[in-house]
Amino acid sequence: MIVVSGASGQLGRLTVGHLLQRVDAARVVALSRTPDDVADLGVTVRYADFDHPSGLPGAFEGAERLLIISLGSFTGLAPGHANAVDAAAKAGVGHVIYTSFARAGEPGQPQALIQNHRETERLLAESGLTFTALRFNQWPEMWNLVGIPAGAVATGVLPSNSGDGRVGHITRDDSAAVAAALLADGGCEGQFVEVTGPAAVTDADVAEALSQVTGRPVRCEQVTDAELASTLSGRGLPEQYVQGWTGLGAYKREGWFDVTTHAVERLAGRRPATIADYFAAHPGVLRAT
């Protein structure tokens, strides 16, 4: 049995879709706090909530492989992660695959959410479970949260505080394809796998991709952290998004996302999408609202 947590979320749904291209639907179980939302997936559905641990061993029962889709936390280890790892051990799960983040295990990581991933990876390593941590690089979908692509196309300027910092952007769909491949076929046991797109790119490269896809000139303009925050605030973005995106630019500038691997080709057997491929496939994110 192959069990996918968080199946009602975007990554979970995509992973189940890719998994069904590799295995029979009868082998797949989708977990969700809202089971009715995944009834259309065509697989067995079970209720599971990482914040209610008593029911988790039953939800994981019979799992040859289990995908734990991570929960966000800016204050250290998410309690739900500890609950899920403990329940997986009690249920005798054969292989746990965890969705982590780029370079999560490296010392000196300045990003608050990384502590959650680092501590979860530590728990898995100490649990006695067979596990794999998929350390996904930044999703290009992150750009959409603050409307940066649409604003850049509309104004012809992509403001950036990331300098020459590079990011190995990987799409959510490519991430799901890798997760599904491991769920179906196994492999990478005990490994921390950096999963990236085909190249690490700068924000200047992103501006060029926007120009290429839209046919409209877009240039990257380097600004200070304070200037970027002021620009985003002027667009009416909530303060948490302003601070989050400004901080992300600083992390890019410091090189924390500058990783490129061939994990997508090796594990999923497909060419990962470039940043230009992503924008071309999602024209809606390039239109100002």
Side-chain angles (χ1 to χ4, degrees):
M1 193 74 73
I2 298 172
V3 180
V4 178
S5 76
S8 57
Q10 295 181 73
L11 180 62
R13 275 189 162 272
L14 286 170
T15 299
V16 172
H18 283 289
L19 191 54
L20 292 179
Q21 297 175 29
R22 293 175 174 270
V23 303
D24 190 273
R27 292 186 59 198
V28 181
V29 174
L31 305 182
S32 176
R33 291 178 297 179
T34 54
D36 289 346
D37 292 343
V38 294
D40 62 325
L41 291 177
V43 300
T44 299
V45 175
R46 295 176 183 170
Y47 170 82
D49 185 340
F50 285 2
D51 291 328
H52 293 86
S54 62
L56 292 179
F60 297 164
E61 184 179 0
E64 175 188 359
R65 299 189 187 97
L66 164 68
L67 178 66
I68 295 180
I69 294 181
S70 55
L71 308 171
S73 172
F74 290 93
T75 57
L77 177 66
H81 286 184
N83 294 338
V85 172
D86 182 61
K90 290 178 178 176
V93 172
H95 183 182
V96 173
I97 298 161
Y98 171 69
T99 63
S100 190
F101 198 69
R103 301 173 66 179
E106 295 189 22
Q109 266 278 7
Q111 302 169 78
L113 66 83
I114 292 299
Q115 184 180 349
N116 176 34
H117 293 298
R118 183 170 58 242
E119 288 301 304
T120 304
E121 290 183 352
R122 180 187 60 79
L123 279 180
L124 285 166
E126 295 174 353
S127 68
L129 289 161
T130 298
F131 76 95
T132 303
L134 294 176
R135 292 175 171 172
F136 294 127
N137 211 285
Q138 189 185 130
W139 288 335
E141 287 88 346
M142 293 289 293
W143 289 83
N144 308 340
L145 294 176
V146 287
I148 296 290
V153 172
T155 64
V157 176
L158 175 68
S160 169
N161 66 332
S162 65
D164 293 327
R166 294 179 176 274
V167 180
H169 291 289
I170 177 170
T171 66
R172 188 181 278 118
D173 190 60
D174 282 331
S175 301
V178 169
L182 280 187
L183 288 167
D185 303 328
C188 299
E189 290 87 350
Q191 296 182 29
F192 304 88
V193 184
E194 297 286 344
V195 186
T196 78
V201 298
T202 65
D203 282 1
D205 295 323
V206 174
E208 183 179 344
L210 289 170
S211 297
Q212 173 188 329
V213 170
T214 64
R216 302 182 63 175
V218 178
R219 63 181 176 84
C220 181
E221 180 179 290
Q222 289 298 324
V223 297
T224 66
D225 293 352
E227 287 170 337
L228 180 62
S230 178
T231 296
L232 297 178
S233 293
R235 295 180 181 177
L237 286 173
E239 185 63 19
Q240 68 185 82
Y241 287 98
V242 172
Q243 294 304 318
W245 192 256
T246 303
L248 199 62
Y251 302 145
K252 289 192 284 187
R253 191 170 66 224
E254 294 165 6
W256 285 103
F257 301 101
D258 190 358
V259 184
T260 306
T261 70
H262 298 288
V264 177
E265 296 97 323
R266 178 169 59 89
L267 298 175
R270 59 189 267 172
R271 182 186 70 85
T274 65
I275 192 75
D277 292 334
Y278 171 76
F279 288 135
H282 299 84
V285 307
L286 306 181
R287 292 192 289 269
T289 58

